[in-house]
Amino acid sequence: MAEEDKEEKKDFVSRIVKLLPAVSKPEYKQGLNAKLKWTGIALGLYLLLSWITVYGIDESLSFQQFKFFEIVLGSKFGSIMTLGIGPIVTGGIIMQLLVGSKIINWDTTKPEGRKKFQTWNKFLAILLALVEAAAFVLAGALPVVGSTPIIMFVILQLAAGGIIVIILDELVSKWGFGSGV
């Protein structure tokens, strides 16, 4: 019975891995120039996206009250990158607390445990991107000009920006230098 439960969990985790956007590891060792190139591409994309304003918000506001959050989250309020690294960091903290306190009993010293941890960390970060995007919009931090469809579109734009940050983090971690966060 216990083996069937493990097999079901393994199938569930493997299904989730297939659904999540991912950056594959390079098949060969990257040189210094290639790592610099990929790190620069990720940084350039992030900076470009931080200047694209979300469609459907009141652009006349300056968001000065959120300057502290912009610094802490590495974001720019009102842009696609409004969420910044918030979902990644929050998801990582939650997963470390759950695994570290043995609420979730995974052995992260083994490759299978690390893969589960990374998969669920990414899944939780994507889920938190959706939740945080909805929270920002519904709490009024980003005032939306329009009705319900525009509100939903703004939430989707913010969540997409959060997911892009997750993918850029993975790109820099695997192809560039260090962590994208």
Side-chain angles (χ1 to χ4, degrees):
M1 187 70 165
E3 288 184 33
E4 289 176 19
D5 290 339
K6 280 187 177 182
E7 196 63 37
E8 286 179 28
K9 288 180 184 178
K10 187 175 181 182
D11 288 341
F12 183 68
V13 171
S14 64
R15 280 186 272 156
I16 287 178
V17 170
K18 291 176 186 174
L19 295 175
L20 298 178
V23 175
S24 61
K25 289 185 178 182
E27 295 177 4
Y28 54 92
K29 186 169 174 69
Q30 298 290 315
L32 177 65
N33 288 339
K35 287 186 176 199
L36 285 173
K37 177 183 77 172
W38 285 110
T39 304
I41 287 170
L43 179 61
L45 282 172
Y46 185 83
L47 292 174
L48 178 70
L49 290 172
S50 70
W51 287 100
I52 298 174
T53 305
V54 173
Y55 175 80
I57 65 167
D58 186 4
E59 294 182 40
S60 65
L61 298 175
S62 67
F63 302 110
Q64 289 297 319
Q65 68 271 25
F66 296 113
K67 286 296 179 193
F68 175 74
F69 290 114
E70 286 182 351
I71 293 167
V72 171
L73 296 176
S75 65
K76 184 174 180 208
F77 266 72
S79 74
I80 298 290
M81 296 289 116
T82 296
L83 298 180
I85 61 169
I88 298 171
V89 172
T90 306
I93 290 170
I94 290 171
M95 287 302 299
Q96 287 177 5
L97 287 172
L98 291 173
V99 172
S101 63
K102 301 289 185 203
I103 293 172
I104 297 176
N105 196 15
W106 290 339
D107 185 6
T108 54
T109 59
K110 296 181 180 173
E112 184 179 312
R114 281 193 301 272
K115 186 174 181 179
K116 281 183 188 178
F117 181 86
Q118 290 169 347
T119 300
W120 283 99
N121 192 18
K122 186 191 293 187
F123 176 73
L124 187 57
I126 291 172
L127 186 65
L128 285 169
L130 289 165
V131 170
E132 287 181 22
F136 274 88
V137 172
L138 298 177
L142 291 171
V144 177
V145 179
S147 60
T148 304
I150 300 295
I151 291 171
M152 297 304 292
F153 187 59
V154 169
I155 291 171
L156 288 175
Q157 289 176 85
L158 294 176
I163 293 168
I164 289 170
V165 170
I166 294 166
I167 294 170
L168 288 175
D169 173 57
E170 198 172 347
L171 175 74
V172 171
S173 297
K174 292 180 179 176
W175 289 79
F177 285 109
S179 170
V181 173

